[in-house]
Amino acid sequence: MDTTPFACTGPFQVFDAARTAQLLGYPALLQTLTQAAGEYEAGSILSPERAAMPLGQGGVLLSMPATAADLGVHKLVCVQPGNARLGLPTIHGLVTACDARTGRPLFALDGPEVTGRRTAAITLLALRALAAGPPQDIALIGTGTQARHHVQALACLHPQARIRVRGRSPASAQAFCDSLGAVHDRIVPLHGPIPDSVDVVITVTTSTEPVYDDKPRAGRLVIGVGAFRPEMAEIGPATLAGSTLFCDDPQGARHEAGDLLRAGIAWDRLRSLASLLRDGPGTPAPFVFKSVGTGAWDLAAARVAASELQSRAHKHPLGE
């Protein structure tokens, strides 16, 4: 991905969720995130710890900036748990991008869509680096928005895999699978224990108690995505204690990865995504990958969107 400064031409544009999704194809996201992981570790992408402030009654305002030589981005997210009773989404937000050379605002993307797609893409990067081969049988624990993004991403790059879904109840798992049957034709609810044939487990919940704590087993990769606060924990200590551990942002994990904090994991056990992509996983072992997210991944997504917009402009210079 070319990271030279983007041309500051044309009006500022705001893209809704559907149009943001069209700009963020998964193959391009994986390529750009691979580069961004190395830049982030080297310090050429700067992304401080996110700031959180109270908002309204029980809500929170999250601010996540990131800068690089080509772009600056700022993700502003509003989380209001009380919105469910109003028939509104719990999360609203925008990712604004500006040209790093001039500071001129370029465009704004739908924040939840960016978060969902770049997070699912990080999971796919971890899967590609740590799994013994293309996944065949995946257990997905959770039926929320992030679970939906993961099904879409897996359908794009791993259509051969069966996806077994566990929800809060059999009914919620069935409803989730029914709603995504047109996206992935090998998605089924999981009501009992996770079968031995499952080679990848992905947790995408906001649970405060572990939803997966099996003893590590060879040939099964575990990816934890949903727990992003210290009080949350999806993966239990039995799984963590016997696994080789990786994380997309080890520094962020010290403040946000409730699974690791609760299990008392020694931080020197945790390898970064950048080192994984650069050096490989090392000795074959049961692997756990923990995803906490960072503004650097939002910047990578903005690069993909900017590149796609430039490509479209070159194809249709007169807006035809």
Side-chain angles (χ1 to χ4, degrees):
M1 174 67 66
D2 183 10
T3 59
T4 55
F6 294 100
C8 290
T9 58
F12 182 82
Q13 300 181 78
V14 179
F15 298 96
D16 62 13
R19 294 169 72 203
T20 295
Q22 292 172 359
L23 294 172
L24 301 179
Y26 280 109
L29 273 174
L30 264 67
Q31 177 184 348
T32 307
L33 283 165
T34 298
Q35 177 178 329
E39 291 181 54
Y40 181 47
E41 186 163 83
S44 55
I45 293 180
L46 301 178
S47 179
E49 182 181 347
R50 66 182 175 186
M53 298 180 64
L55 179 69
Q57 297 299 313
V60 63
L61 178 71
L62 301 172
S63 173
M64 289 154 280
T67 59
D70 53 326
L71 284 179
V73 301
H74 182 208
K75 182 162 73 176
L76 199 62
V77 174
C78 302
V79 183
Q80 274 293 1
N83 279 359
R85 64 176 178 269
L86 303 175
L88 296 172
T90 300
I91 300 175
H92 296 276
L94 288 173
V95 175
T96 55
C98 66
D99 183 286
R101 181 174 60 86
T102 65
R104 178 180 174 179
L106 300 175
F107 53 81
L109 305 172
D110 182 80
E113 191 69 23
V114 170
T115 301
R117 293 181 77 85
R118 59 82 157 157
T119 303
I122 290 290
T123 292
L124 293 180
L125 276 181
L127 198 160
R128 186 169 69 185
L130 293 171
Q136 301 300 320
D137 203 346
I138 299 170
L140 182 67
I141 303 177
T143 57
T145 299
Q146 193 54 255
R148 185 174 296 274
H149 281 291
H150 274 69
V151 171
Q152 293 168 346
L154 290 165
C156 177
L157 296 187
H158 298 290
Q160 80 288 342
R162 173 183 291 183
I163 303 177
R164 306 174 190 261
V165 179
R166 174 177 288 166
R168 291 180 180 271
S169 66
S172 66
Q174 185 66 61
F176 180 83
C177 292
D178 291 344
S179 70
L180 287 166
V183 175
H184 190 78
D185 60 6
R186 303 199 66 200
I187 185 169
V188 295
L190 173 62
H191 301 319
I194 295 177
D196 291 342
S197 61
V198 166
D199 49 4
V200 180
V201 175
I202 304 172
T203 62
V204 283
T205 78
T206 55
S207 178
T208 56
E209 296 297 331
V211 297
Y212 183 86
D213 196 24
D214 290 9
K215 291 183 179 180
R217 61 177 68 193
R220 176 177 289 179
L221 168 64
V222 179
I223 301 176
V225 177
F228 61 93
R229 293 181 181 175
E231 66 272 17
M232 297 175 179
E234 296 185 292
I235 303 171
T239 301
L240 294 169
S243 300
T244 300
L245 307 180
F246 298 86
C247 182
D248 65 331
D249 184 12
Q251 283 300 117
R254 294 173 182 245
H255 309 285
E256 299 180 356
D259 334 62
L260 308 185
L261 291 164
R262 185 178 299 188
I265 296 299
W267 296 115
D268 60 4
R269 289 183 55 198
L270 202 59
R271 281 184 55 194
S272 70
L273 173 64
S275 73
L276 170 63
L277 297 177
R278 181 182 62 246
D279 304 325
T283 304
F287 297 124
V288 170
F289 183 88
K290 176 62 186 171
S291 177
V292 293
T294 166
W297 310 155
D298 299 318
L299 189 144
R303 282 176 172 171
V304 174
S307 180
E308 176 64 19
L309 289 170
Q310 284 192 323
S311 176
R312 294 180 183 183
H314 291 155
K315 291 179 181 177
H316 304 286
L318 300 179
E320 299 173 354

